[in-house]
């Protein structure tokens, strides 16, 4: 998702009380518990888009800390607008950053889990390393995930899903959950929070795929 550039979005983000800003986010590496003021588990959503999923997660699970990561200011702005009219949340921060730098912002074994929801498919082979479930990204995630932590990935894109499964297998990750029709699985649907894309694509009749994977233990 890349919305047209919105004039003033960078300035609005810079002034936002909901964002850990680019000039200080690297100082938080290894100290996210201090940012939240507690030792609750920490989950990230990478590529959160307009933020519906992560905001609902934060409301539903006040005993967990969440960080929503989005690359584009124009998209993050939409999340900030939603956040301003939603319930006050003290367990959620937003970051505007490219996830390629994730290991500069989160320390070794600092993160309890990562959500990847409807990641951009980047269909051309030469762009494969930009796909968020690629081997390159899995190696980055592995550095910041705690032992036993996992990644939850949802998409309706068959090629991207197959690619994610192959990458996980090639990198030695364990596949804990794999379904080609999440919405037909009553058990897996317990507590499922729909993302903006999930709502749109499932309403159009597309099956939703879900993968849960755990990195190899050293
Ligand atoms: N997760 C949301 C959902 O399911 O409704 C949004 C899905 S949208 C297709 C993918 C989002 O990931 C876009 O907003 C895009 O800007 C963001 N994104 C893609 N690559 C990224 C990266 N390297 N770092 C951070 N965000 C990224």
């Amino acid at each position: 998702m890349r919305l047209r550039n919105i004039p003033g979005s960078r300035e609005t983000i810079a002034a936002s009380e909901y964002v850990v800003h680019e000039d200080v986010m690297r100082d938080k590496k290894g100290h996210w518990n201090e940012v939240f003021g507690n030792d609750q588990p920490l989950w990230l959503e990478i590529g959160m888009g307009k933020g519906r999923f992560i905001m609902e997660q934060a409301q539903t699970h006040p005993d967990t800390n969440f960080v929503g990561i989005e690359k584009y200011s124009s998209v993050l702005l939409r999340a900030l607008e939603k956040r301003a009219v939603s319930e006050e949340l003290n367990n959620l921060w937003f970051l505007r950053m490219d996830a390629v730098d994730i290991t500069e912002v989160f320390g070794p074994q600092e993160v309890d889990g990562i959500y990847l929801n409807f990641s951009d498919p980047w269909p051309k082979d030469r762009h494969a390393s930009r796909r968020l479930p690629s081997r390159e990204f899995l190696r980055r995630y592995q550095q910041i995930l705690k032992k036993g932590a996992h990644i939850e990935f949802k998409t309706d894109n068959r090629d991207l899903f197959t690619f994610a499964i192959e990458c996980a297998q090639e990198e030695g990750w364990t596949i804990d959950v794999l379904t080609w029709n999440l919405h037909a699985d009553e058990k897996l649907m317990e507590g499922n929070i729909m993302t903006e894309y999930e709502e749109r694509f499932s309403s159009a009749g597309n099956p939703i795929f879900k993968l849960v994977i755990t990195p190899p233990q050293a």
Side-chain angles (χ1 to χ4, degrees):
M1 180 194 311
R2 184 159 185 191
L3 302 177
R4 122 192 104 74
N5 186 40
I6 300 172
S9 57
R10 278 193 174 258
E11 292 73 11
T12 306
I13 290 165
S16 172
E17 57 183 317
Y18 303 130
V19 177
V20 176
H21 297 289
E22 286 168 63
D23 52 340
V24 295
M25 64 171 78
R26 283 170 178 74
D27 304 340
K28 310 301 180 196
K29 178 174 175 173
H31 304 287
W32 282 92
N33 55 344
E34 292 168 21
V35 176
F36 286 97
N38 59 53
D39 288 323
Q40 297 190 147
L42 174 61
W43 277 75
L44 315 180
E45 184 187 10
I46 300 182
M48 71 164 175
K50 298 178 190 170
R52 163 179 165 176
F53 171 86
I54 197 87
M55 279 186 250
E56 228 176 297
Q57 282 286 6
Q59 276 159 10
T60 312
H61 302 286
D63 51 356
T64 300
N65 295 328
F66 295 92
V67 174
I69 295 172
E70 172 51 50
K71 186 168 167 182
Y72 293 112
S73 304
S74 55
V75 184
L76 177 56
L77 189 64
R78 296 293 176 234
L80 294 179
E81 287 165 358
K82 251 190 218 149
R83 174 103 190 241
V85 294
S86 75
E87 191 182 315
E88 200 47 52
L89 295 167
N90 54 17
N91 60 336
L92 174 62
W93 285 99
F94 293 140
L95 301 180
R96 198 216 60 76
M97 64 174 282
D98 187 330
V100 84
D101 298 324
I102 199 85
T103 57
E104 293 173 24
V105 177
F106 296 92
Q109 301 204 15
E110 189 167 25
V111 173
D112 292 86
I114 297 175
Y115 298 109
L116 301 176
N117 291 321
F118 297 81
S119 308
D120 294 326
W122 292 105
K124 291 185 180 144
D125 282 349
R126 70 172 188 277
H127 293 145
S129 65
R130 297 184 193 176
R131 298 173 193 151
L132 290 176
S134 67
R135 294 182 71 172
E136 290 80 354
F137 271 105
L138 290 181
R139 284 185 209 139
R140 295 180 183 113
Y141 305 146
Q142 191 175 348
Q143 291 181 50
I144 63 170
L145 284 171
K146 282 182 187 157
K147 275 205 170 77
H150 54 266
I151 292 183
E152 298 197 9
F153 173 54
K154 291 194 280 190
T155 184
D156 71 323
N157 186 303
R158 196 168 285 273
D159 289 344
L160 184 65
F161 194 61
T162 306
F163 173 81
I165 295 167
E166 286 167 3
C167 290
Q169 287 169 334
E170 284 160 10
E171 287 296 308
W173 290 52
T174 303
I175 296 181
D176 303 311
V177 171
L178 194 170
T179 177
W180 293 88
N181 195 350
L182 171 64
H183 289 196
D185 188 318
E186 216 174 293
K187 193 156 187 306
L188 289 179
M189 279 301 279
E190 273 171 29
N192 182 61
I193 290 178
M194 296 261 256
T195 79
E196 273 107 351
Y197 273 63
E198 185 172 354
E199 175 91 60
R200 190 191 305 171
F201 293 130
S202 61
S203 309
N206 296 8
I208 304 300
F209 315 135
K210 181 169 181 176
L211 185 65
V212 179
I213 52 174
T214 309
Q217 303 303 325

